[in-house]
C-alpha cells in the first residue's frame, strides 16, 4: 500500500536530493541544510518514542556539522503537521534510513568526508528498528481503509516538507571553502 502509493513521491525526492553532490563540501553542506530544516520541523509529539529520539539525534548531528563549518540553518515555512498519524512519521523516518546507507557510501568516497564535513550526520546509528517496527505495524493495516489512506496522505505531506527544503537549499547553494 504505502510502498506503491508513495513510490513516485519517493523517486521525485530521491532525484531532488541527488542534485547535491555529497562528495563535495558545498553539496554536503546543502544536503545537511535540507536534513536539518526538515527534521527540525517534524512534530515530535506525533512520533513514537524511538522515532522522536532518532529525529532529535539526526537534527542535532546535522546542526553540529553546519555549526562546525559556520553555516546557518535553512529557513523554510513550517507547515502545520500537528495532526500527523505517528505511523506516517515512523514510515518516513524509518524508510529514510534504508536510503541513508546509499547516501553514506556516496559521501564516504569524497573530499567532504576526507575533511570531516558531515561526519556527525553520516556517523549516526542506522535506526533500522524503526523500519522493522513500522513494517510489523503496517502488516495489520489493510490497504484502501480510511486509516491506510490517512497514513499515505500524511506520509506524502512529510515528503513534501523534505522536497520544499531540498528546493530551497538548492536555490541557496553556494561555494563553501
Ligand atoms: C538521494 C536521496 C535518496 C536515496 C538515494 C534514497 C534511497 C532509498 C532506498 C535505496 C530505499 C530502499 C528501497 C527499497 O528497499 O525498495 C529507500 C526507501 C525509502 N526512502 Fe529513500 N532515498 C533517498 C531520499 C529519501 C528521503 C529524503 C526520504 C524522506 C525523508 C526517504 C524516505 C524513504 C522511505 C520512506 C523509504 C521506504 C519506501 C518503501 O519501501 O515504501 N528517502 N530510499
Amino acid at each position: 500500500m504505502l510502498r506503491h502509493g508513495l513510490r513516485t513521491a519517493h523517486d521525485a525526492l530521491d532525484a531532488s536530493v541527488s542534485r547535491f553532490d555529497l562528495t563535495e563540501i558545498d553539496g554536503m553542506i546543502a544536503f545537511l541544510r535540507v536534513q536539518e530544516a526538515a527534521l527540525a520541523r517534524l512534530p515530535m509529539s506525533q512520533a513514537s518514542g524511538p522515532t522522536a529520539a532518532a529525529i532529535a539525534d539526526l537534527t542535532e548531528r546535522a546542526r553540529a556539522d553546519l555549526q562546525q563549518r559556520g553555516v546557518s540553518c535553512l529557513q523554510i515555512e513550517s507547515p502545520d503537521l500537528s495532526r500527523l498519524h505517528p505511523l506516517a512519521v515512523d514510515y518516513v523516518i524509518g524508510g529514510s534510513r534504508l536510503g541513508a546507507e546509499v547516501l553514506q557510501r556516496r559521501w564516504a568516497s569524497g573530499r567532504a568526508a576526507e575533511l570531516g564535513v558531515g561526519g556527525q550526520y553520516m556517523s549516526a546509528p542506522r535506526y533500522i528498528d524503526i523500519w522493522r517496527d513500522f513494517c510489523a505495524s503496517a502488516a495489520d493495516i489493510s490497504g484502501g481503509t480510511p486509516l491506510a489512506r490517512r497514513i499515505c496522505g500524511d506520509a506524502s505531506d512529510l515528503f513534501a516538507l523534505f522536497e520544499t527544503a531540498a528546493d530551497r537549499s538548492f536555490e541557496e547553494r553556494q561555494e563553501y571553502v
Side-chain angles (χ1 to χ4, degrees):
M1 161 207 60
L2 277 166
R3 175 164 282 183
H4 304 297
L6 291 163
R7 169 65 68 185
T8 318
H10 177 268
D11 293 348
L13 190 51
D14 177 343
S16 180
V17 175
S18 292
R19 291 176 291 178
F20 306 115
D21 180 350
L22 304 187
T23 65
E24 289 304 329
I25 296 174
D26 50 356
M28 187 59 203
I29 288 177
F31 170 82
L32 288 166
R33 298 183 88 208
V34 173
Q35 295 302 325
E36 192 282 335
L39 290 166
R41 286 165 179 77
L42 292 179
M44 302 292 250
S45 56
Q46 300 306 104
S48 63
T51 302
I55 293 169
D57 177 47
L58 294 168
T59 309
E60 202 36 56
R61 285 170 177 273
R63 226 170 250 163
D65 283 329
L66 290 171
Q67 271 156 12
Q68 192 193 30
R69 302 299 298 190
V71 175
S72 63
C73 295
L74 196 65
Q75 298 309 316
I76 59 171
E77 295 74 41
S78 297
D80 175 12
L81 298 171
S82 58
R83 289 181 43 66
L84 282 184
H85 192 288
L87 279 177
V89 187
D90 291 345
Y91 170 72
V92 170
I93 296 302
S96 71
R97 302 310 294 165
L98 298 173
E101 288 168 45
V102 175
L103 300 179
Q104 206 277 344
R105 277 197 298 274
R106 286 182 192 173
W107 170 77
S109 62
R111 197 167 119 67
E114 239 171 72
L115 298 169
V117 178
Q120 297 260 350
Y121 186 85
M122 285 301 184
S123 59
R126 287 183 68 203
Y127 293 119
I128 214 68
D129 291 348
I130 297 173
W131 181 246
R132 262 195 222 114
D133 297 348
F134 167 77
C135 291
S137 312
D140 304 334
I141 304 170
S142 26
T145 58
L147 175 56
R149 282 197 295 279
R150 159 100 189 269
I151 296 169
C152 216
D154 289 355
S156 62
D157 289 348
L158 287 169
F159 277 140
L161 171 66
F162 280 85
E163 188 84 42
T164 302
D167 288 345
R168 180 68 57 80
S169 184
F170 191 74
E171 283 156 23
E172 291 190 9
R173 73 195 183 288
Q174 54 182 290
E175 297 289 321
Y176 298 95
V177 290

